[in-house]
Amino acid sequence: MTAITTPFAPLDRLGAWSADLALRVFLAWEFFESGWQKWNGANWFEQLQSAFPFPFNQLSASFNWQLSMWAELLCALLLLIGLATRFSALVLFIVTVVAIAAVHWPAHWSGLAELAQGYSISDHGFGNYKLPLIYLVALVPLMLNGAGKLSLDNLLQRWRR
């Protein structure tokens, strides 16, 4: 068994320091880009305010727009540097669930076969929840494990000891 595991020892050491870094950089880019588009764009939440799940459907579209934009911008930066990683991942997880419910989930579907057609990147009338679902899956390890060793969270934790 050692003949199989020995060549991977350097990867194990590297992975202990940087495995979560790829997820953090990927998610930071994607969410920051989305927040930046909101920063520079017009509020289109008015058109779908009724599709927001509770309690967000009780808030104004303008407030939801600001909440989403700032969550995406600030939490993306926190993910990138690995500070408050679990909290930031949770916030972005909630933002993504709301986005799936309000924007990406198909409005009408009558069965699993029809629902499965929405598992795509492009919208052909069946929803387009594939990419947000990928974001949710990528956020889970960060919520459960944190940012890893190459992060400010880890540095602060070691400093407190």
Side-chain angles (χ1 to χ4, degrees), residues 41-65:
N43 184 347
W44 45 266
F45 281 11
E46 291 281 344
Q47 303 162 4
L48 51 99
Q49 182 64 22
S50 63
F52 278 72
F54 182 82
F56 300 99
N57 63 350
Q58 303 298 309
L59 306 172
S60 72
S62 176
F63 185 76
N64 276 329
W65 181 266

Side-chain angles (χ1 to χ4, degrees), residues 5 19 27 57 143 156:
T5 58
L27 290 167
N57 63 350
M143 287 190 304
L156 290 172

Side-chain angles (χ1 to χ4, degrees), residues 23-77:
L23 284 178
R24 289 183 11 231
V25 170
F26 165 69
L27 290 167
W29 174 267
E30 291 297 322
F31 282 104
F32 191 85
E33 184 179 49
S34 178
W36 191 250
Q37 286 176 351
K38 286 179 180 72
W39 176 276
N40 291 307
N43 184 347
W44 45 266
F45 281 11
E46 291 281 344
Q47 303 162 4
L48 51 99
Q49 182 64 22
S50 63
F52 278 72
F54 182 82
F56 300 99
N57 63 350
Q58 303 298 309
L59 306 172
S60 72
S62 176
F63 185 76
N64 276 329
W65 181 266
Q66 291 293 319
L67 191 62
S68 173
M69 178 188 67
W70 285 111
E72 290 171 339
L73 290 172
L74 295 176
C75 290
L77 292 174

Side-chain angles (χ1 to χ4, degrees), residues 5 8 10 14 24 35 53 57 73 78 84 95 112 138 141 146 149 154:
T5 58
F8 295 105
L14 179 64
R24 289 183 11 231
N57 63 350
L73 290 172
L78 290 172
V95 167
L112 292 178
K149 291 183 180 180
N154 184 54

Side-chain angles (χ1 to χ4, degrees), residues 27 31 79 89 92-93 96 134-143:
L27 290 167
F31 282 104
L79 279 185
L92 293 172
F93 192 92
T96 305
I134 291 169
Y135 296 158
L136 291 179
V137 170
L139 286 164
V140 168
L142 297 177
M143 287 190 304

